[in-house]
Amino acid sequence: MRPIQMVDTKNQYLKIKAEVDNAVLQVMESSAFINGKIVQDFAAHLSSYQGARHTIPCANGTDALQIAMMALGLQPGDEVITPSFTYIATTEVIALLRLTPVFVEVDPKTFCIDPAAIEKAITPKTKAIVPVHLYGHAAPMEEIMAIAARHNLYIIEDNAQAIGCDYTFSDGSKKKTGTIGHIGSTSFYPSKNLGAFGDGGALFTNDDELAVKMKMIANHGQSKRYYHDIVGCNSRLDSIQAAILDIKLRHLDEYITARRAVADFYDKAFAGNKKIITPYRAAYSHHVFHQYTLILDGVDNVAAARDGLNEFLAKNNIPSMIYYPVPGHRQKVFEQFNSQALKMPVTDWLTERVISLPMHTELDEEQLNFISSKVLEFITK
Ligand SMILES: Cc1ncc(COP(=O)(O)O)c(C=O)c1O
């Protein structure tokens, strides 16, 4: 059996090596390392894949969130509602810009922000909501957009983990996640579903004015070279990364299909087990399985059980990960917002119980059989 990895970018690369190597070589020969034509080409291709009017490439997914908040003109003290159960990048940029993160609960089935919790958290200071399409499952955008319209709030979708996810509205129409809110952000971190060979990110919007502003902010606030109209930053996607991403974009749907096949395999293997809750798939969301995350339930000492499973799998050379061991409201960095005092039973419950299994495009049946049989061996002990 081939060694099992949490993420296998190497073998994914080897399958498209000739194409990728050639594209990288072309950038090197052109010497247009920054803002080369390939960056614009990739942005255009990604716009058409996403069905977004504008795609603005940037340096990483964290910058994308920051640029979005800057472009919306959010001011210090403005409140931004966000799930506590997410990666730190989502919430960190809120604090970085001296905005106030307001942590709310997620739905225990989808792991995504709970619209009822959003409603309760809205105050006169609320300016924006940042739903996160966690693990590749869409947040309930139709409800979130309705709340935003009622309260005049901006929506920035953190789509770092869900590029390619189709959202189906109640009238049957579809949109890609990241294109439903006022702005969507994404990350091309190497392990992401559309991963670069380094850092990268992008912003999506259908709003022409916001697009111009975000483009300027990502490039030192300049309207034309050396004319700086607003405060910006230096956040560019390298041409080499754009060239690689442009090729990988052609394979994204096939990568998503491979991920979903892995999820189907796991689902089937764990079906009916009372101690394992497999990932829920809401009808509105075409899950793209950035992660395959189990919830351990009905076990006596869940902390010991999860540590035990993690160690047992590791002894069998199977990696597993906890995304994320500490939710936002319990992070030291946010003590200044008195967030530790918040009661978040769902988030705490999930934080104690989740465990993610290897999930990538290169897993074969032998590996999947081995992983699932070892999980079951430990769980049914
Ligand atoms: C939910 C979420 N938001 C934001 C980011 C930030 O992306 P990056 O690492 O490219 O800055 C990530 C990924 O790391 C993420 O998973």
Side-chain angles (χ1 to χ4, degrees):
M1 189 173 58
R2 292 185 300 126
I4 296 170
Q5 297 178 52
M6 198 68 198
V7 178
D8 185 353
T9 46
K10 171 95 185 269
N11 281 305
Q12 191 187 58
Y13 159 62
L14 291 178
K15 287 187 180 155
I16 52 168
K17 186 176 182 319
E19 278 178 283
V20 168
D21 291 2
N22 182 42
V24 170
L25 214 65
Q26 278 187 26
V27 174
M28 296 203 293
E29 278 167 9
S30 77
S31 292
F33 297 115
I34 303 284
N35 268 339
K37 183 176 172 295
I38 186 65
V39 180
Q40 275 75 53
D41 289 351
F42 167 62
H45 297 151
L46 189 54
S47 279
S48 100
Y49 177 87
Q50 283 284 88
R53 213 166 140 86
H54 304 280
T55 295
I56 297 105
C58 65
N60 55 67
T62 311
D63 277 7
L65 287 160
Q66 180 182 326
I67 293 164
M69 289 175 206
M70 288 169 75
L72 292 172
L74 303 186
Q75 296 299 316
D78 286 351
E79 292 179 357
V80 178
I81 296 176
T82 176
S84 176
F85 194 68
T86 182
Y87 181 56
I88 189 73
T90 318
T91 49
E92 183 184 33
V93 293
I94 300 172
L96 183 76
L97 294 173
R98 305 250 169 261
L99 313 171
T100 304
V102 175
F103 296 107
V104 300
E105 286 277 37
V106 291
D107 178 302
K109 290 207 296 206
T110 64
F111 304 105
C112 293
I113 198 163
D114 175 2
I118 294 176
E119 291 266 22
K120 279 192 216 140
I122 293 172
T123 76
K125 286 188 180 168
T126 309
K127 290 289 173 338
I129 306 167
V130 186
V132 182
H133 305 304
L134 203 74
Y135 303 153
H137 188 289
M141 290 308 296
E142 193 160 1
E143 284 166 86
I144 294 169
M145 292 312 292
I147 296 172
R150 272 202 303 282
H151 297 273
N152 203 19
L153 304 173
Y154 292 119
I155 301 295
I156 303 168
E157 297 174 71
D158 184 344
N159 198 36
Q161 300 191 4
I163 192 98
C165 174
D166 282 311
Y167 189 99
T168 307
F169 291 83
S170 44
D171 65 1
S173 63
K174 286 182 201 273
K175 277 187 186 172
K176 293 279 184 203
T177 53
T179 69
I180 304 166
H182 301 91
I183 302 175
S185 65
T186 201
S187 163
F188 304 126
Y189 185 78
S191 64
K192 294 289 191 268
N193 288 19
L194 179 59
F197 288 7
D199 276 312
L203 290 138
F204 307 107
T205 189
N206 295 320
D207 182 312
D208 297 347
E209 266 178 50
L210 278 176
V212 170
K213 214 164 164 196
M214 293 194 293
K215 217 172 188 170
M216 283 171 68
I217 293 171
N219 198 5
H220 296 295
Q222 65 184 16
S223 49
K224 60 180 181 180
R225 208 165 196 188
Y226 304 127
Y227 288 78
H228 305 271
D229 302 346
I230 50 177
V231 172
C233 54
N234 172 9
S235 187
R236 297 181 289 231
L237 181 69
D238 292 346
S239 303
I240 285 180
Q241 299 306 339
I244 295 164
L245 287 164
D246 200 42
I247 286 162
K248 291 186 77 177
L249 179 61
R250 294 175 212 155
H251 297 274
L252 180 57
D253 284 343
E254 151 207 329
Y255 292 160
I256 291 170
T257 304
R259 287 175 175 276
R260 286 175 59 87
V262 169
D264 290 347
F265 187 102
Y266 283 142
D267 276 1
K268 215 164 146 195
F270 302 138
N273 190 294
K274 296 222 160 44
K275 294 180 182 166
I276 294 175
I277 302 176
T278 53
Y280 179 73
R281 305 185 198 192
Y284 67 76
S285 169
H286 186 75
H287 206 318
V288 292
F289 286 100
H290 177 55
Q291 301 297 344
Y292 185 89
T293 303
L294 298 173
I295 304 173
L296 299 184
D297 196 21
V299 289
D300 286 341
N301 179 345
V302 77
R306 186 170 67 173
D307 287 350
L309 176 59
N310 179 266
E311 280 161 28
F312 178 77
L313 293 176
K315 267 191 213 134
N316 286 283
N317 298 315
I318 302 169
S320 61
M321 294 290 285
I322 311 303
Y323 302 118
Y324 299 91
V326 185
H329 75 286
R330 293 197 181 279
Q331 294 285 357
K332 195 168 186 309
V333 63
F334 297 126
E335 271 171 10
Q336 56 182 311
F337 301 106
N338 205 18
S339 56
Q340 303 253 7
L342 291 169
K343 295 261 174 298
M344 297 233 159
V346 176
T347 295
D348 288 338
W349 186 83
L350 287 174
T351 304
E352 286 162 13
R353 282 165 176 76
V354 288
I355 182 160
S356 300
L357 299 182
M359 167 51 81
H360 55 81
T361 56
E362 310 305 312
L363 285 159
D364 63 33
E365 204 161 309
E366 187 185 15
Q367 294 173 311
L368 289 170
N369 262 321
F370 186 69
I371 298 165
S372 47
S373 69
K374 287 294 164 193
V375 170
L376 289 170
E377 185 182 325
F378 181 84
I379 288 290
T380 49
K381 250 200 306 214

